[in-house]
Amino acid sequence: MATVSIIIPAYNEAPGIERLLAYLRQATAEEPDLEIVVVDGGSTDGTRALARQAGATVVRSLRKGRAAQLNYGASQTGGEILYFLHADSYPPPGFVADLRHARRQGYGSGCYRLAFDHGHWFLRFSAWCTRLPLLVVRFGDQSLFVQRELFARVGGFREDLLLLEDQEIVRRLRAQGPFRVLPRAVTTSARKYLDNGVFRLQAAFTLITGLYWLGVPQPRLARLYRRLIRQDKL
């Protein structure tokens, strides 16, 4: 069976990292060869210590930033399937079997649909849209699985991107072969929406994504992101 490495980028995730890792350990209890690696970007809280106590391998990325942390995490693992997962997102039970099944079907990469841990109607609608085969609705919260050799072939994540690195790599992965949107969902936290207001945050995301596709430089996008979005870790 193909070996799997779970790679979790983290920055000041002490409030929730233990719960996520406990869930992953329970969900993969019959997978003795599975790796769970937390890639810390310089947390100032107890993220690293808590992750180690919960049984994960913890590595420190010299660069803060999701793309750099994910690339570094991939370089520190040995799994044939790389599974990139956000620190506030929970894959469905049996997800490792899903990844292996997709590999046997010939998919080099893919993700899950999305669900939120809050019942607001607009969040349910947004999550429903992630089943569509459109690049614009591919987000890192959906997690991402990639065959290691394919990840190496496309050159990994672009570390010069502070934003939308997830959509950018999916574009390149789709150009290399079939990309699978798995028919179950990752459940992710709605905390950022609740902190900022559901419609306000969605409007900010839509604006930033549109400007990204129009070619606005990353430093300008990052400044706009920090100005519009409260309590973010960018």
Side-chain angles (χ1 to χ4, degrees):
M1 290 189 296
T3 54
V4 177
S5 297
I6 303 174
I7 301 162
I8 304 168
Y11 179 74
N12 287 350
E13 295 290 350
I17 194 69
E18 285 182 295
R19 179 169 171 260
L20 172 65
L21 293 172
Y23 171 83
L24 293 174
R25 285 297 183 194
Q26 182 179 23
T28 62
E30 298 180 1
E31 300 285 344
D33 296 326
L34 180 138
E35 295 179 292
I36 302 177
V37 176
V38 173
V39 189
D40 187 72
S43 295
T44 56
D45 61 4
T47 296
R48 291 190 295 276
L50 291 170
R52 288 192 187 96
Q53 291 170 18
T57 298
V58 179
V59 296
R60 170 75 181 271
S61 174
L62 295 179
R63 290 184 58 190
K64 177 176 177 285
R66 190 166 284 147
Q69 289 173 237
L70 292 173
N71 283 343
Y72 184 67
S75 75
Q76 301 300 300
T77 63
E80 298 166 82
I81 301 173
L82 302 174
Y83 185 53
F84 301 104
L85 181 69
H86 285 189
D88 59 357
S89 297
Y90 288 70
F95 68 93
V96 174
D98 291 343
L99 307 186
R100 290 192 177 122
H101 183 63
R103 185 176 192 262
R104 289 194 298 270
Q105 289 182 312
Y107 292 100
S109 58
C111 66
Y112 280 101
R113 299 173 184 176
L114 189 63
F116 288 97
D117 62 359
H118 192 277
H120 191 288
W121 72 267
F122 188 77
L123 295 181
R124 294 199 307 271
F125 170 72
S126 295
W128 182 90
C129 290
T130 61
R131 70 188 59 207
L132 302 174
L134 303 174
L135 182 57
V136 73
V137 292
R138 295 283 79 84
F139 303 105
D141 287 334
Q142 294 173 253
S143 70
L144 176 70
F145 71 86
V146 188
Q147 309 304 321
R148 177 177 290 278
E149 58 84 19
L150 176 58
F151 187 74
R153 194 190 323 152
V154 302
F157 290 90
R158 276 184 50 185
E159 296 187 12
D160 60 314
L161 298 184
L162 299 173
L163 296 164
L164 281 303
E165 78 291 332
D166 38 24
Q167 288 191 5
E168 195 282 330
I169 195 173
V170 169
R171 178 184 60 79
R172 287 184 285 129
L173 291 170
R174 295 199 329 181
Q176 295 291 319
F179 182 93
R180 174 67 161 153
V181 180
L182 297 166
R184 297 200 290 160
V186 164
T187 300
T188 195
S189 172
R191 59 184 178 177
K192 193 179 296 183
Y193 281 91
L194 301 179
D195 287 344
N196 288 272
V198 170
F199 299 112
R200 180 182 179 278
L201 183 61
Q202 189 59 54
F205 282 158
T206 301
L207 173 63
I208 291 166
T209 302
L211 293 174
Y212 163 79
W213 285 107
L214 288 172
V216 173
Q218 285 279 314
R220 289 181 60 188
L221 292 180
R223 287 195 297 271
L224 180 62
Y225 193 100
R226 294 184 183 108
R227 188 161 68 242
L228 292 178
I229 297 176
R230 305 180 189 123
Q231 299 180 11
D232 197 77
K233 301 175 183 178
L234 183 67

